[in-house]
Amino acid sequence: MRNICMIVSYDGSAYNGFQSQPNSNTIQDKIEEALCTLTGETIKITASGRTDAGVHARGQVINFHTESRIPIDRWCMALNSRLPDDIIVTDAREVSETFHARRSAIRKTYRYSIRCGRYKDVFRRHLEYHHYGSLDVEAMRLALSYLVGEHDFTSFCSVHTTAKTNVRTIYNASISTNEQYIGNMKSTQLFIDITGNGFLYNMVRIIVGTLIEVGEGKRVPDDMRRILESRDRTQAGPTAMAHGLMLWEVLYEE
Amino acid sequence: MRNICMIVSYDGSAYNGFQSQPNSNTIQDKIEEALCTLTGETIKITASGRTDAGVHARGQVINFHTESRIPIDRWCMALNSRLPDDIIVTDAREVSETFHARRSAIRKTYRYSIRCGRYKDVFRRHLEYHHYGSLDVEAMRLALSYLVGEHDFTSFCSVHTTAKTNVRTIYNASISTNEQYIGNMKSTQLFIDITGNGFLYNMVRIIVGTLIEVGEGKRVPDDMRRILESRDRTQAGPTAMAHGLMLWEVLYEE
């Protein structure tokens, strides 16, 4: 059996998330259908993690086992011609038998994109959360800094979690900005990048929902530390909308 | 009667073009419906020009007459809350009675976007024409330079035109590039910007369709001059796909 690993990029707008569900339209279903058409096998893929409905991925990683003898450099093109145009495989390689897209991952980066300004960008409306007013980016940066390190992230986890432990390590959390004009009104894009060894259910979206309240001045940066320590989901802000979120990159031990 | 001028940005993907047609889903229809809901009047708008099905606009300009007394600084927000999320008004101003969005325009700029590389960018797939192989940008630039000036553009005009004359002036035509990685494959974005005093039906798309053949080496740059001189549509290349085209900007005498 060959074990094949792929990098997949998708626009999640049209899907009910990554993971297969009965009678549902998911990214996993589309990839497995394309693999079945290509190889004639019934293949079950494993991803680095699920993404929710509406969430995108620049570099989702999957792996699967196959008896197919298709040369490794043919897989991307062969699959892309069988996939809908909002899902694309950008890399395929053969990996050792023990490689597992979820269990072997050592760190993951998510990006959440916000556009602050009077007008949304119609061409990126499916990729950015539009916030009408400005946000205090320095306050948000300070708030975000309290999350770096190993912590119990219960406050930033959906109550519907099935995780055994809520302890995770955040290696890096930063916000970069970019100014643009839409019409003659200035707007500011915020890119919130968070890298960790793993993420709980809705974790990035709840962190961002809380950060937005800090940016709006409804909370002070130090609240982030207090919320983290409380280990209580009700202390944090709302879950930010799915469409601003993108699974950016997944790293593995070489 | 007030004469109001607006700048409108839209993602044309979901529409059958700008101009109203019977039983059709057009951008003009959506704007006129929103104006009717807002003012209670039946308003007919005039645009700087129509855009085809699937073509986008960053800065389309429209004007219309109204008896409404809504203050000018309220129009954008009031309309945007009544428009679908792929159409947005970014500027509104009151103009003199004689202003006409089409007849008063003195120059227009269109941008055509191409991505050369193995993989398309799924997040911009509705905005860029994807060209698998590389293109010879220098040859394309040379070919494009022959179009600058006043010429009869019959060769680059759909045979379905209703224009009285096919003479137009191109003030500027240039190609800028930007390199990006998709997965670990390099891709090059090409932005073809063409500014003129007016454009014939399908003119930019036929120019681009011909330019792509120059970029592929199927034609030499000098063919552009020969095609222009022939005044024969059959000499030019195919009409490039609509989704790569965007009406960028329309200029008026102050």
Side-chain angles (χ1 to χ4, degrees):
Chain A
M1 266 319 226
R2 296 164 82 188
N3 188 6
I4 292 180
C5 165
M6 287 179 171
I7 300 178
V8 186
S9 179
Y10 49 81
D11 176 342
S13 306
Y15 299 99
N16 296 321
F18 184 86
Q19 196 172 43
S20 274
Q21 297 168 33
N23 309 316
S24 196
N25 171 46
T26 71
I27 292 139
Q28 182 176 356
D29 294 334
K30 297 296 172 192
I31 297 173
E32 290 177 353
E33 281 162 30
L35 283 168
C36 181
T37 318
L38 179 63
T39 64
E41 297 172 306
T42 302
I43 290 177
K44 181 118 183 115
I45 62 172
T46 300
S48 72
R50 64 188 83 174
T51 52
D52 286 344
V55 173
H56 316 289
R58 172 178 170 273
Q60 172 68 286
V61 176
I62 62 165
N63 79 293
F64 57 89
H65 296 87
T66 177
E67 298 285 4
S68 166
R69 289 161 182 266
I70 298 169
I72 195 65
D73 57 334
R74 302 277 179 83
W75 282 87
C76 288
M77 291 295 288
L79 271 182
N80 287 336
S81 65
R82 288 162 177 86
L83 282 167
D85 78 346
D86 46 9
I87 303 176
I88 188 171
V89 179
T90 63
D91 195 31
R93 56 186 70 185
E94 220 164 324
V95 287
S96 73
E97 207 185 316
T98 57
F99 178 89
H100 186 281
R102 190 181 74 250
R103 283 189 229 121
S104 308
I106 54 172
R107 53 174 74 193
K108 264 188 195 181
T109 300
Y110 279 95
R111 165 169 285 194
Y112 196 95
S113 303
I114 302 174
R115 182 176 298 269
C116 295
R118 190 150 175 182
Y119 306 121
K120 67 187 163 209
D121 178 344
V122 286
F123 306 111
R124 288 181 53 83
R125 68 189 187 285
H126 55 309
L127 301 174
E128 301 177 332
Y129 170 68
H130 178 225
H131 188 271
Y132 185 87
S134 63
L135 292 170
D136 181 343
V137 179
E138 283 314 314
M140 291 166 77
R141 284 185 173 130
L142 181 53
L144 201 50
S145 71
Y146 295 125
L147 302 185
V148 177
E150 186 183 79
H151 301 286
D152 181 321
F153 284 95
T154 303
S155 298
F156 300 99
C157 175
S158 163
V159 293
H160 303 293
T161 180
T162 54
K164 284 176 201 149
T165 164
N166 292 341
V167 174
R168 295 290 183 278
T169 301
I170 299 295
Y171 301 112
N172 238 303
S174 63
I175 306 178
S176 53
T177 63
N178 180 41
E179 300 213 326
Q180 289 183 326
Y181 276 84
I182 296 183
N184 48 20
M185 298 297 290
K186 202 191 280 190
S187 69
T188 306
Q189 287 178 288
L190 269 63
F191 303 112
I192 303 169
D193 294 312
I194 305 181
T195 302
N197 63 351
F199 292 88
L200 300 164
Y201 187 39
N202 280 352
M203 180 166 149
V204 178
R205 290 168 60 190
I206 299 169
I207 290 173
V208 171
T210 311
L211 271 185
I212 289 172
E213 294 189 337
V214 171
E216 289 170 337
K218 291 180 185 160
R219 295 176 186 267
V220 296
D222 195 60
D223 285 348
M224 207 63 158
R225 181 164 53 188
R226 193 187 47 70
I227 295 164
L228 187 66
E229 285 167 3
S230 75
R231 301 182 192 184
D232 173 5
R233 170 68 185 91
T234 67
Q235 296 298 304
T239 306
M241 289 177 76
H243 73 278
L245 186 61
M246 193 178 293
L247 172 54
W248 195 254
E249 195 175 34
V250 188
L251 285 183
Y252 295 87
E253 208 105 45
E254 270 316 298
Chain B
M1 266 319 228
R2 297 164 83 189
N3 188 5
I4 292 181
C5 165
M6 288 179 170
I7 300 178
V8 185
S9 180
Y10 50 80
D11 176 343
S13 307
Y15 299 99
N16 296 320
F18 185 85
Q19 194 172 45
S20 275
Q21 297 168 33
N23 309 316
S24 198
N25 170 46
T26 71
I27 293 139
Q28 181 175 358
D29 294 335
K30 296 296 172 193
I31 298 173
E32 291 177 353
E33 282 163 29
L35 283 168
C36 181
T37 318
L38 180 62
T39 64
E41 297 173 310
T42 301
I43 291 176
K44 180 119 184 115
I45 63 173
T46 300
S48 72
R50 64 189 81 171
T51 52
D52 286 345
V55 173
H56 316 289
R58 172 178 171 273
Q60 171 68 286
V61 176
I62 62 164
N63 79 294
F64 57 90
H65 295 85
T66 178
E67 299 285 3
S68 166
R69 289 160 183 266
I70 298 170
I72 195 65
D73 58 333
R74 301 278 179 81
W75 282 88
C76 287
M77 290 296 288
L79 271 181
N80 287 336
S81 65
R82 288 163 176 86
L83 281 167
D85 77 345
D86 46 10
I87 304 176
I88 185 170
V89 179
T90 63
D91 196 32
R93 55 186 70 187
E94 222 164 323
V95 286
S96 73
E97 208 185 313
T98 58
F99 178 89
H100 186 282
R102 192 182 71 249
R103 284 190 229 118
S104 308
I106 55 171
R107 52 174 74 191
K108 263 188 196 180
T109 299
Y110 278 96
R111 166 169 285 195
Y112 197 96
S113 303
I114 301 175
R115 181 176 299 268
C116 295
R118 189 151 177 181
Y119 307 119
K120 67 189 164 208
D121 178 344
V122 285
F123 306 111
R124 289 181 53 82
R125 70 189 185 284
H126 56 310
L127 301 173
E128 300 177 332
Y129 170 68
H130 179 224
H131 188 271
Y132 184 87
S134 63
L135 292 170
D136 181 342
V137 178
E138 283 314 314
M140 293 167 75
R141 284 185 173 128
L142 181 53
L144 201 50
S145 71
Y146 296 125
L147 303 184
V148 176
E150 187 182 80
H151 302 286
D152 180 321
F153 284 96
T154 303
S155 298
F156 299 99
C157 174
S158 164
V159 293
H160 302 294
T161 181
T162 55
K164 285 176 203 149
T165 163
N166 291 341
V167 174
R168 295 290 182 279
T169 301
I170 299 296
Y171 301 112
N172 239 305
S174 63
I175 306 177
S176 54
T177 63
N178 180 40
E179 300 213 324
Q180 289 182 328
Y181 276 85
I182 296 183
N184 48 20
M185 297 298 289
K186 202 191 281 189
S187 69
T188 306
Q189 287 179 290
L190 267 63
F191 303 112
I192 303 169
D193 294 313
I194 305 181
T195 303
N197 64 350
F199 291 88
L200 299 164
Y201 187 40
N202 281 351
M203 180 167 149
V204 179
R205 290 168 59 191
I206 299 169
I207 290 172
V208 171
T210 311
L211 272 184
I212 290 172
E213 294 188 337
V214 171
E216 290 170 337
K218 291 180 186 163
R219 296 175 186 268
V220 296
D222 196 59
D223 285 348
M224 207 66 157
R225 182 163 55 186
R226 193 187 47 72
I227 295 164
L228 187 66
E229 284 166 3
S230 73
R231 300 181 193 185
D232 174 3
R233 169 66 186 92
T234 68
Q235 296 299 303
T239 306
M241 290 177 78
H243 73 277
L245 186 61
M246 192 177 293
L247 173 54
W248 195 254
E249 195 175 33
V250 188
L251 286 183
Y252 295 87
E253 207 107 43
E254 268 318 297

